[in-house]
Amino acid sequence: MLPTENRLRRREDFATAVRRGRRAGRPHLVVHLRSGSMDPHAPGESAPPTRAGFVVSKAVGGSVVRNKVKRRLRHLMRDRVAQFPPGSLVVVRALPGAGDADHVQLAQDLDAAIRRLLGGGAR
C-alpha cells in the first residue's frame, strides 16, 4: 500500500499535475508529472514528499475491475515513488485497456512512462 504521506488527495493537486505537468502515455495508462512543486499547505521548510494519485474511470470497467486496477497501481507506485524529486505530484490515469491488462503489463507501462518523464527514455 502507498503510505499516507505519499497519497494525492486534493482536487487542486490533481488539476495542477494534469494541467501544468508533463505527461507520458503508454497503451494502458498515462502518467502526469509536476516536478518539485512546493506545497503551500505543508508545515515547516522541509521538502514535501512526492505524492501520487490515481484516476480510473468507468471506461476501464465495473467497480470490481476499477478497484483492482487502482490496487495494482498503488502497489506498483509504492516502490517507484522514491525515483521522483521531492515535492513532485504524480497522477496515473488508467486507460480503458487497463482493466484487461495483467500486473506485469501495468508495471512495464508504468516503468516506461516514468523513464520517459524523468529523461531516461525515448518515445
Side-chain angles (χ1 to χ4, degrees):
M1 206 43 138
L2 195 62
T4 304
E5 65 270 6
N6 293 119
R7 292 186 191 169
L8 195 60
R9 295 196 171 151
R10 294 184 26 239
R11 180 184 187 110
E12 303 87 39
D13 294 337
F14 275 89
T16 298
V18 171
R19 291 185 186 143
R20 296 185 183 163
R22 297 175 24 218
R23 74 170 185 232
R26 303 301 305 157
H28 298 108
L29 50 88
V30 177
V31 179
H32 299 267
L33 170 66
R34 173 79 171 159
S35 291
S37 59
M38 297 306 283
D39 184 8
H41 306 288
E45 302 218 4
S46 62
T50 297
R51 293 178 294 151
F54 306 92
V55 178
V56 184
S57 73
K58 288 185 179 180
V60 173
S63 62
V64 173
V65 175
R66 289 195 314 268
N67 285 319
K68 180 176 71 170
V69 169
K70 280 189 277 190
R71 283 193 309 272
R72 285 179 174 175
L73 290 173
R74 275 196 306 263
H75 177 76
L76 290 168
M77 200 61 174
R78 178 186 64 184
D79 299 330
R80 292 159 177 83
V81 77
Q83 296 176 9
F84 296 98
S88 295
L89 303 177
V90 182
V91 174
V92 180
R93 184 167 45 95
L95 297 176
D100 299 326
D102 64 359
H103 190 76
V104 173
Q105 290 172 319
L106 287 175
Q108 288 171 347
D109 280 358
L110 184 60
D111 288 336
I114 290 171
R115 271 194 312 273
R116 183 168 171 207
L117 287 171
L118 296 178
R123 292 181 185 227

